[in-house]
Amino acid sequence: MRYWLMKSEPEAYSIDDLERDGREIWDGVRNYQARNYLREMRPGDLAFFYHSNAKPPGVAGLMRIVKSGVVDPTQFDPESCYFDPKSTPENPRWQTVEVEFVEKFPRLVPLAELRERFNETELPLLKRGFRLSVMPVDAEVAEKLLELAKNRT
Protein backbone atom coordinates (compact mmCIF):
# COMPACT_ATOMS: atom_id res chain seq x y z
CA MET A 1 0.00 0.00 0.00
CA ARG A 2 1.16 3.52 -0.81
CA TYR A 3 0.14 6.92 0.49
CA TRP A 4 -0.73 10.00 -1.53
CA LEU A 5 -1.86 13.58 -1.02
CA MET A 6 -4.58 14.93 -3.30
CA LYS A 7 -5.69 18.55 -3.37
CA SER A 8 -9.12 19.99 -3.99
CA GLU A 9 -10.54 23.45 -3.41
CA PRO A 10 -13.32 22.93 -0.86
CA GLU A 11 -15.68 25.17 -2.86
CA ALA A 12 -15.33 22.76 -5.79
CA TYR A 13 -15.28 19.47 -3.83
CA SER A 14 -14.56 19.02 -0.12
CA ILE A 15 -14.07 16.18 2.34
CA ASP A 16 -17.68 16.79 3.41
CA ASP A 17 -18.82 16.26 -0.19
CA LEU A 18 -16.90 12.98 -0.35
CA GLU A 19 -18.37 11.88 2.98
CA ARG A 20 -21.87 12.59 1.60
CA ASP A 21 -21.18 10.87 -1.74
CA GLY A 22 -19.22 7.92 -0.35
CA ARG A 23 -17.38 7.29 -3.64
CA GLU A 24 -16.42 9.54 -6.51
CA ILE A 25 -14.01 9.77 -9.41
CA TRP A 26 -11.20 12.31 -8.97
CA ASP A 27 -11.73 14.17 -12.23
CA GLY A 28 -10.28 17.29 -13.79
CA VAL A 29 -6.55 16.73 -13.26
CA ARG A 30 -4.78 18.35 -16.22
CA ASN A 31 -1.11 18.22 -15.30
CA TYR A 32 0.96 15.40 -16.80
CA GLN A 33 3.05 14.72 -13.68
CA ALA A 34 -0.08 14.60 -11.50
CA ARG A 35 -1.73 12.34 -14.09
CA ASN A 36 1.30 10.04 -13.99
CA TYR A 37 0.97 9.78 -10.20
CA LEU A 38 -2.72 8.92 -10.64
CA ARG A 39 -1.64 6.14 -13.01
CA GLU A 40 0.63 4.71 -10.28
CA MET A 41 -2.18 4.43 -7.73
CA ARG A 42 -3.65 1.04 -6.91
CA PRO A 43 -6.80 -0.06 -5.09
CA GLY A 44 -6.16 -0.03 -1.35
CA ASP A 45 -3.77 2.92 -1.44
CA LEU A 46 -4.68 5.75 0.95
CA ALA A 47 -4.73 9.45 0.11
CA PHE A 48 -4.81 12.50 2.32
CA PHE A 49 -7.55 14.92 1.27
CA TYR A 50 -6.01 18.40 1.23
CA HIS A 51 -8.18 21.52 1.09
CA SER A 52 -6.29 23.97 -1.12
CA ASN A 53 -6.99 27.64 -1.72
CA ALA A 54 -8.89 27.75 1.58
CA LYS A 55 -8.51 29.76 4.76
CA PRO A 56 -6.59 28.01 6.14
CA PRO A 57 -5.46 25.37 3.66
CA GLY A 58 -4.70 21.98 5.16
CA VAL A 59 -5.22 18.24 5.42
CA ALA A 60 -8.88 17.52 6.14
CA GLY A 61 -9.24 13.76 5.95
CA LEU A 62 -8.42 10.43 4.40
CA MET A 63 -9.74 8.53 1.39
CA ARG A 64 -9.01 5.17 -0.19
CA ILE A 65 -8.31 4.42 -3.84
CA VAL A 66 -10.92 1.86 -4.93
CA LYS A 67 -10.37 1.79 -8.69
CA SER A 68 -7.42 2.80 -10.84
CA GLY A 69 -7.08 3.38 -14.57
CA VAL A 70 -10.40 5.21 -14.81
CA VAL A 71 -10.78 7.30 -17.97
CA ASP A 72 -11.67 10.86 -16.93
CA PRO A 73 -14.98 11.55 -18.72
CA THR A 74 -14.64 15.35 -18.44
CA GLN A 75 -11.97 15.33 -21.18
CA PHE A 76 -14.67 14.45 -23.75
CA ASP A 77 -17.32 16.96 -22.60
CA PRO A 78 -17.19 20.19 -24.65
CA GLU A 79 -19.18 21.92 -21.89
CA SER A 80 -16.59 21.04 -19.23
CA CYS A 81 -13.74 23.36 -18.31
CA TYR A 82 -11.60 20.17 -18.41
CA PHE A 83 -12.48 19.39 -22.05
CA ASP A 84 -9.46 18.30 -24.12
CA PRO A 85 -10.15 18.48 -27.86
CA LYS A 86 -7.04 16.39 -28.60
CA SER A 87 -8.24 13.48 -26.46
CA THR A 88 -10.41 10.77 -28.01
CA PRO A 89 -12.26 7.78 -26.53
CA GLU A 90 -9.92 5.55 -28.57
CA ASN A 91 -6.83 7.32 -27.20
CA PRO A 92 -7.69 9.15 -23.95
CA ARG A 93 -4.97 11.38 -22.49
CA TRP A 94 -6.36 11.66 -18.99
CA GLN A 95 -6.82 8.80 -16.55
CA THR A 96 -7.80 9.10 -12.93
CA VAL A 97 -8.96 7.03 -9.97
CA GLU A 98 -12.13 6.39 -8.04
CA VAL A 99 -11.88 7.16 -4.33
CA GLU A 100 -14.00 6.38 -1.30
CA PHE A 101 -14.38 8.26 1.95
CA VAL A 102 -12.45 6.84 4.91
CA GLU A 103 -12.61 9.61 7.51
CA LYS A 104 -12.77 13.30 8.18
CA PHE A 105 -10.08 14.17 10.71
CA PRO A 106 -11.18 15.56 14.09
CA ARG A 107 -9.40 18.75 13.06
CA LEU A 108 -7.92 20.26 9.94
CA VAL A 109 -4.12 20.11 9.98
CA PRO A 110 -3.28 23.56 8.59
CA LEU A 111 -0.44 24.24 6.19
CA ALA A 112 1.31 26.38 8.83
CA GLU A 113 1.46 23.38 11.18
CA LEU A 114 2.69 21.11 8.38
CA ARG A 115 5.54 23.61 7.83
CA GLU A 116 6.44 23.36 11.55
CA ARG A 117 6.47 19.54 11.55
CA PHE A 118 7.91 18.58 8.17
CA ASN A 119 10.53 19.82 5.75
CA GLU A 120 10.30 20.19 1.96
CA THR A 121 12.09 16.90 1.36
CA GLU A 122 9.65 14.99 3.54
CA LEU A 123 6.56 16.73 2.14
CA PRO A 124 7.04 18.33 -1.30
CA LEU A 125 3.76 20.19 -0.80
CA LEU A 126 5.79 22.62 1.34
CA LYS A 127 8.10 23.72 -1.49
CA ARG A 128 7.54 27.28 -2.64
CA GLY A 129 5.79 27.27 -5.98
CA PHE A 130 4.97 23.54 -5.80
CA ARG A 131 1.56 23.32 -7.38
CA LEU A 132 0.97 19.65 -8.17
CA SER A 133 -2.50 18.55 -7.10
CA VAL A 134 -1.46 14.91 -6.64
CA MET A 135 1.74 13.67 -5.01
CA PRO A 136 3.17 10.63 -3.23
CA VAL A 137 3.75 10.66 0.52
CA ASP A 138 6.37 8.40 2.11
CA ALA A 139 4.96 5.87 4.60
CA GLU A 140 6.96 7.32 7.52
CA VAL A 141 5.66 10.83 6.81
CA ALA A 142 2.13 9.47 6.36
CA GLU A 143 2.23 7.79 9.78
CA LYS A 144 3.39 11.03 11.40
CA LEU A 145 0.69 12.97 9.57
CA LEU A 146 -2.00 10.52 10.71
CA GLU A 147 -0.82 10.90 14.30
CA LEU A 148 -0.76 14.68 13.98
CA ALA A 149 -4.28 14.77 12.53
CA LYS A 150 -5.72 12.82 15.45
CA ASN A 151 -3.84 14.58 18.24
CA ARG A 152 -3.12 18.16 19.01
CA THR A 153 0.55 17.86 20.02
Side-chain angles (χ1 to χ4, degrees), residues 18-69:
L18 183 57
E19 182 176 23
R20 177 196 65 225
D21 298 341
R23 290 171 77 139
E24 190 60 68
I25 67 163
W26 198 262
D27 62 6
V29 173
R30 293 296 179 270
N31 172 285
Y32 286 105
Q33 182 60 56
R35 188 241 6 229
N36 292 342
Y37 285 141
L38 287 166
R39 286 179 171 176
E40 291 180 32
M41 293 179 182
R42 297 292 173 255
D45 287 357
L46 293 174
F48 293 97
F49 196 121
Y50 183 87
H51 283 172
S52 63
N53 200 19
K55 294 187 192 272
V59 178
L62 196 64
M63 54 192 170
R64 180 178 294 106
I65 310 308
V66 293
K67 189 174 181 185
S68 58

Side-chain angles (χ1 to χ4, degrees), residues 74-129:
T74 62
Q75 66 192 309
F76 307 123
D77 180 0
E79 303 299 315
S80 171
C81 61
Y82 301 116
F83 175 64
D84 184 344
K86 294 181 180 178
S87 190
T88 65
E90 299 77 32
N91 190 23
R93 288 181 167 195
W94 305 104
Q95 293 79 30
T96 189
V97 295
E98 185 175 341
V99 297
E100 71 179 357
F101 177 82
V102 173
E103 69 177 305
K104 180 177 177 178
F105 293 145
R107 66 183 192 94
L108 179 92
V109 182
L111 178 59
E113 189 172 347
L114 295 174
R115 289 190 188 286
E116 292 171 4
R117 302 294 181 129
F118 302 100
N119 64 48
E120 294 176 355
T121 303
E122 293 172 311
L123 199 56
L125 167 77
L126 304 177
K127 291 180 184 174
R128 291 255 180 247

